[in-house]
Amino acid sequence: MSAADNKTVVRRLLEELRDGWHPATIEKYFAPGYQRHLTATSTPFDREEQRLRATRLRVAFPDAQATLEDIFAEGDRVAYRLTIR
């Protein structure tokens, strides 16, 4: 996939999460070996831990609104910046 295609996938993921949290979204977009590194020293989250974290955040902040501020892609890597209110 091109960098532009990868950005489109990330935008679609963020829109689906914004429009209504559905735990199945994790399986749709996240590979079975997914790891999220929050800091250089923390233990990475796997796909199931990411689903639990996202579910807890949605329950804790049901009215939260996320705005995509920036999105950058190079090769198969995408970085983005959100503002959550």
Side-chain angles (χ1 to χ4, degrees):
M1 291 175 64
S2 71
D5 292 337
N6 289 331
K7 285 171 40 175
T8 298
V9 169
V10 170
R11 279 192 186 99
R12 198 173 314 135
L13 164 66
L14 295 172
E15 287 170 5
E16 285 189 31
L17 293 175
R18 179 193 66 218
D19 293 342
W21 170 248
H22 303 285
T25 301
I26 296 295
E27 280 82 24
K28 183 176 177 181
Y29 289 98
F30 292 66
Y34 166 83
Q35 290 188 340
R36 179 176 181 188
H37 299 266
L38 295 173
T39 69
T41 59
S42 66
T43 303
F45 284 18
D46 65 15
R47 190 166 76 167
E48 179 60 23
E49 290 165 327
Q50 180 63 38
R51 178 187 9 262
L52 292 172
R53 183 174 188 268
T55 299
R56 286 190 301 262
L57 286 170
R58 179 57 70 187
V59 169
F61 305 102
D63 297 330
Q65 298 293 316
T67 303
L68 180 61
E69 303 290 351
D70 294 302
I71 187 166
F72 307 96
E74 185 172 324
D76 65 348
R77 296 178 183 229
V78 178
Y80 60 89
R81 182 173 62 94
L82 292 174
T83 299
I84 301 174
R85 294 177 179 86

